[in-house]
């Protein structure tokens, strides 16, 4: 499949990313990106789509304000850029909350999984009764997000939950349990749909490293 070349109108909707990746028609790739063999989403494409996500969030602003719940560690960079864009364009102040969960440490997911244990490492204070926007780096199998949505609604009794994810992975061969789980998870805002690859960069780690890469890349299997 060929690399997809994006024009400005493509950023108005969630961007479908082929296995060969995307690039912007008007912005050349950076020297850093040129040295990487498997860039999926360049920095320019990320920032253009994030600007549109900020527009969507601003249009849907609740009277109670904007409360981001960033899921650490992966969404830290996305949440920071998105919140800055909201202030830069709309002067909207964002209440930043953080939650940290662990599902499978530094390892990769296994094929055919039906469940994962989720460990709560850090929980946000004083979110009861708030209208929460969960900021995710990626929706993969969905175990972590499903657990967190139950936790927020049942244990923390938040008023409402919306989901904003940078990446939404299209799984090739999910187990029946994962397929059912993914049907129940419906993000309100999605940046990019990506193929079923091991993605890293822009907050996503490769076994604990590479989170600070300003673009999304595919980590090839060894």
């Amino acid at each position: 499949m060929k690399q997809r070349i994006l024009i400005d109108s493509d950023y108005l909707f969630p961007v479908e990313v082929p296995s060969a990746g995307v690039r912007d028609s008007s912005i050349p790739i950076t020297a850093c990106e040129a040295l990487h063999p498997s860039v999926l989403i360049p920095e320019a494409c990320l920032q253009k789509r994030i600007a549109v996500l900020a527009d969507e969030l601003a249009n849907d602003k609740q009277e109670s304000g904007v409360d981001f719940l960033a899921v650490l560690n992966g969404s830290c960079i996305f949440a920071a850029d998105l919140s800055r864009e909201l202030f830069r364009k709309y002067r909207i102040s964002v209440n930043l909350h953080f939650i940290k969960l662990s599902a499978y440490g530094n390892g990769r997911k296994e094929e055919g999984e039906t469940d994962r244990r989720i460990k709560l490492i850090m929980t946000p204070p004083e979110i009861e009764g708030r209208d929460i926007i969960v900021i995710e780096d990626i929706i993969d199998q969905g175990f972590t997000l499903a657990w967190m949505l139950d936790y927020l609604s049942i244990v923390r009794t938040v008023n409402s939950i919306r989901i904003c994810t940078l990446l939404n992975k299209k799984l090739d061969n999910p187990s029946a349990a994962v397929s059912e789980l993914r049907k129940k998870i419906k993000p309100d805002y999605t940046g990019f749909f990506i193929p079923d690859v091991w993605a890293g960069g822009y907050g996503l780690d490769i076994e604990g490293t590479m989170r600070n890469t300003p673009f999304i890349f595919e980590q090839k299997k060894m």
Side-chain angles (χ1 to χ4, degrees):
M1 187 176 293
K2 294 183 179 180
Q3 187 181 58
R4 182 181 176 190
I5 309 301
L6 302 178
I7 60 175
D8 285 349
S9 59
D10 291 324
Y11 296 100
L12 298 177
F13 307 96
V15 176
E16 296 274 354
V17 180
S19 56
V22 297
R23 71 175 178 86
D24 189 84
S25 61
S26 62
I27 303 175
I29 63 173
T30 66
C32 178
E33 291 164 351
L35 292 173
H36 201 284
S38 54
V39 174
L40 279 175
I41 310 173
E43 182 177 6
C45 299
L46 287 169
Q47 296 306 324
K48 280 193 170 185
R49 180 63 186 138
I50 288 170
V52 175
L53 288 173
D55 296 338
E56 295 175 10
L57 288 168
N59 288 335
D60 295 342
K61 183 177 178 295
Q62 302 283 329
E63 291 185 5
S64 58
V66 179
D67 282 86
F68 278 6
L69 179 59
V71 184
L72 299 177
N73 294 329
S75 73
C76 59
I77 297 176
F78 175 41
D81 281 353
L82 183 58
S83 61
R84 282 195 293 255
E85 191 69 13
L86 278 168
F87 186 82
R88 185 182 295 116
K89 295 179 74 174
Y90 298 101
R91 296 297 186 267
I92 292 176
S93 178
V94 174
N95 299 315
L96 277 168
H97 312 275
F98 300 94
I99 188 169
K100 187 171 183 179
L101 308 166
S102 176
Y104 50 94
N106 293 328
R108 300 192 190 194
K109 68 182 181 183
E110 300 292 335
E111 295 295 330
E113 287 185 319
T114 60
D115 194 15
R116 275 197 180 274
R117 290 188 177 182
I118 308 300
K119 180 180 179 182
L120 179 63
I121 299 174
M122 185 178 80
T123 185
E126 300 178 358
I127 60 169
E128 286 75 11
R130 293 180 180 268
D131 297 299
I132 295 295
I133 303 173
V134 172
I135 307 296
E136 270 281 24
D137 55 345
I138 185 170
I139 297 178
D140 196 322
Q141 296 185 106
F143 296 122
T144 302
L145 184 54
W147 186 95
M148 183 173 58
L149 295 178
D150 285 343
Y151 169 76
L152 292 175
S153 60
I154 298 171
V155 179
R156 301 306 300 273
T157 60
V158 300
N159 184 56
S160 67
I161 304 171
R162 285 177 286 163
I163 302 169
C164 179
T165 185
L166 178 64
L167 307 177
N168 194 335
K169 184 182 288 189
K170 292 187 170 183
L171 302 177
D172 290 336
N173 297 297
S175 67
V178 168
S179 295
E180 287 303 310
L181 194 62
R182 286 293 302 263
K183 289 178 183 177
K184 298 175 183 177
I185 297 174
K186 300 185 182 300
D188 300 274
Y189 313 95
T190 295
F192 301 83
F193 287 102
I194 66 168
D196 195 354
V197 298
W198 192 19
Y202 198 73
L204 286 80
D205 74 305
I206 300 296
E207 297 184 347
T209 66
M210 304 298 286
R211 291 190 193 275
N212 60 325
T213 307
F215 51 84
I216 302 289
F217 63 92
E218 177 187 353
Q219 175 68 17
K220 302 292 186 178
K221 292 183 179 179
M222 303 299 290

